[in-house]
């Protein structure tokens, strides 16, 4: 089993901290499908210190999600430490994670996120300062390097370990790659062999078989799943079951997909209010509908939805459409 500091995690499957996605509504839904650990979307250290209202909302944790890792980012030691201390004392998060992987320019321009990858000494200094200041275990999520000419994954992971970090999640892409190309699992294996703290592998885990292959080929302690779980929490359940038993669980029915989509919607409404939640749910609904026959007929309509009722009517219509088509096929057959 995966253990981070004194936090025992029931399996090796971890939900990645995806910005703009991993709020409590999504995390709880994924948790119910069996994820051992869920990670919250990254939060700015300065926004925490300014007590920004939206940011304070992002710190909300449902006790049913736990264990949970809450991720912060920043480029200056003083504000990062103060934000970590706030999270340590004022939230029920189990783990404090530091973002060293975000590739977007507005983050790296602030000397945060993936910018750290260029300087193992800064990594040591920053992680040590945070680890010394808090009681919760401190972990790091990072990429393998800035670009092909600056891959310091081993040095960076060793710096995290020396500084008192309790685990490293490593995405096998560079900052320059963003989310394109293939993830390099060889570097993940090298990092696992270079440190004694747990290493969680991330990148190109699209199926339960991919998760098993990553564990077998790299020796990592856990697998982190991100984009493959969007609109598809069944992927998490299937992966947990496959790793435990070798059995591939069946795909959900269209009705099951829509039911979970509506459950997710209702949780988001409870979290953010109907107006904000419905707008935010449009992208999630499109992910849930991926692969459903005839979904193009309702996807455009989803982008016009402004109320829960609008969205539920469209989703229910899709179920009826698919089930009617299946009935017709049976009769013709």
């Amino acid at each position: 089993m995966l253990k981070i500091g004194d936090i025992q995690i029931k399996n090796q499957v971890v939900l990645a901290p995806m910005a703009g996605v991993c709020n409590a509504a999504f995390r709880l839904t994924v948790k119910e499908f069996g994820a051992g650990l869920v990670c919250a979307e990254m939060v700015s250290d300065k926004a925490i210190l300014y007590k920004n209202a939206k940011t304070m909302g992002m710190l909300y944790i449902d006790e049913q999600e736990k264990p949970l890792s809450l991720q912060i980012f920043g480029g200056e030691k003083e504000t990062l430490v103060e934000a970590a201390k706030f999270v340590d004392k004022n939230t029920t998060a189990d783990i404090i994670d530091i973002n060293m992987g975000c590739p977007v320019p507005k983050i790296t321009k602030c000397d945060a996120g993936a910018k750290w990858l260029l300087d193992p000494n800064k990594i040591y200094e920053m992680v040590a300062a945070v680890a010394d200041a808090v009681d919760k275990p401190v972990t790091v999520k990072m990429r393998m390097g800035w670009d092909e000419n600056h891959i310091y994954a081993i040095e960076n992971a060793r710096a995290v370990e020396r500084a008192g970090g309790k685990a490293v999640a490593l995405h096998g892409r560079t900052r320059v790659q963003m989310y394109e190309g293939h993830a390099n699992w060889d570097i993940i294996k090298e990092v696992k062999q270079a440190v004694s703290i747990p290493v969680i592998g991330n990148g190109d885990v699209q199926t339960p078989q991919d998760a098993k292959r990553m564990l077998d080929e790299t020796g990592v302690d856990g697998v982190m799943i991100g984009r493959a779980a969007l609109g598809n929490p069944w992927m998490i359940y299937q992966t947990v079951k496959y790793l435990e038993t070798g059995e591939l669980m069946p795909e959900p029915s269209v009705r099951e997909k829509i039911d979970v989509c509506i459950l997710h919607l209702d949780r988001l409404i409870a979290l953010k209010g109907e107006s904000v939640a419905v707008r935010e749910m449009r992208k999630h609904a499109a992910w849930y509908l991926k692969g459903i026959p005839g979904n193009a007929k309702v996807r455009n309509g989803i982008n016009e939805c402004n109320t829960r009722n609008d969205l539920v009517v469209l989703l229910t219509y899709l179920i009826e459409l698919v089930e009617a088509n299946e009935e017709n096929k049976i009769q013709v057959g």
Side-chain angles (χ1 to χ4, degrees):
M1 284 305 111
L2 179 57
K3 192 173 185 185
I4 296 175
D6 57 355
I7 307 299
Q8 187 71 52
I9 295 158
K10 67 179 181 179
N11 59 50
Q12 296 169 289
V13 181
V14 180
L15 174 69
M18 293 175 282
V21 172
C22 285
N23 52 50
F26 179 70
R27 297 190 310 256
L28 180 56
T29 303
V30 172
K31 180 63 130 189
E32 288 175 345
F33 278 87
L37 176 68
V38 293
C39 302
E41 59 188 316
M42 65 178 189
V43 183
S44 156
D45 58 353
K46 289 185 170 68
I48 291 173
L49 300 182
Y50 293 144
K51 304 288 194 298
N52 174 280
K54 184 181 175 186
T55 300
M56 292 297 105
M58 290 168 73
L59 299 181
Y60 171 77
I61 297 165
D62 186 308
E63 288 303 297
Q64 296 175 81
E65 298 177 64
K66 291 162 62 66
L68 174 133
S69 168
L70 204 154
Q71 189 182 76
I72 58 176
F73 73 91
E76 297 167 21
K77 184 166 68 176
E78 293 72 19
T79 50
L80 196 70
V81 166
E82 288 307 310
K85 283 160 72 172
F86 182 89
V87 170
D88 192 45
K89 296 288 180 275
N90 297 280
T91 78
T92 59
D94 300 280
I95 294 162
I96 298 173
D97 188 63
I98 301 172
N99 182 296
M100 274 174 35
C102 182
V104 302
K106 74 174 182 181
I107 304 298
T108 57
K109 279 178 186 169
C110 303
D111 288 333
K115 196 66 181 286
W116 289 29
L117 299 171
L118 291 164
D119 189 352
N121 292 325
K122 176 174 180 172
I123 290 170
Y124 172 78
E125 184 186 344
M126 299 282 270
V127 175
V130 172
D132 288 346
V134 299
D135 294 326
K136 299 182 195 291
V138 174
T139 61
V140 165
K141 169 113 178 1
M142 67 180 191
R143 286 176 173 247
M144 69 177 187
W146 180 260
D147 58 26
E148 286 300 319
N149 299 317
H150 299 86
I151 295 177
Y152 307 140
I154 291 171
E155 299 93 319
N156 290 342
R158 283 176 172 159
V160 170
E161 182 175 38
R162 280 202 325 278
K166 299 302 183 187
V168 169
L170 178 61
H171 184 161
R173 287 182 173 86
T174 63
R175 184 265 168 181
V176 168
Q177 275 183 281
M178 301 291 280
Y179 300 97
E180 302 299 320
H182 292 293
N184 183 336
W185 289 8
D186 291 336
I187 196 82
I188 295 174
K189 180 178 181 178
E190 290 170 26
V191 166
K192 172 57 192 165
Q193 292 170 343
V195 296
S196 57
I197 57 175
V199 175
I200 299 165
N202 178 221
D204 291 352
V205 178
Q206 303 292 334
T207 66
Q209 296 95 319
D210 290 338
K212 176 81 163 63
R213 192 163 55 83
M214 177 181 271
L215 288 166
D216 291 345
E217 290 181 9
T218 67
V220 287
D221 303 276
V223 289
M224 182 172 273
I225 296 170
R227 289 173 291 168
L230 296 175
N232 188 18
W234 295 269
M235 159 59 178
I236 301 289
Y237 172 73
Q238 289 164 333
T239 300
V240 170
K241 287 296 178 189
Y242 186 71
L243 295 179
E244 286 174 354
T245 68
E247 183 185 359
L248 271 176
M249 305 306 287
E251 289 297 313
S253 69
V254 171
R255 188 171 285 276
E256 286 171 322
K257 281 190 170 188
I258 300 301
D259 284 348
V260 172
C261 182
I262 293 170
L263 172 67
H264 184 171
L265 167 64
D266 287 336
R267 285 177 169 158
L268 205 50
I269 289 170
L271 191 67
K272 299 190 173 192
E274 185 174 21
S275 178
V276 172
V278 171
R279 284 201 307 275
E280 196 171 299
M281 195 66 197
R282 292 170 185 170
K283 64 185 177 187
H284 287 281
W287 290 325
Y288 277 102
L289 300 190
K290 204 172 168 187
I292 295 178
N295 74 60
K297 291 181 179 177
V298 300
R299 280 179 68 170
N300 291 336
I302 283 170
N303 290 326
E304 306 297 323
C305 289
N306 291 305
T307 68
R308 178 190 185 276
N309 187 60
D310 290 344
L311 192 46
V312 171
V313 165
L314 263 181
L315 294 171
T316 307
Y317 167 71
L318 182 59
I319 295 176
E320 292 166 354
L321 197 67
V322 170
E323 290 182 348
N325 285 340
E326 286 172 354
E327 185 68 27
N328 287 339
K329 281 180 192 168
I330 292 168
Q331 288 173 0
V332 170

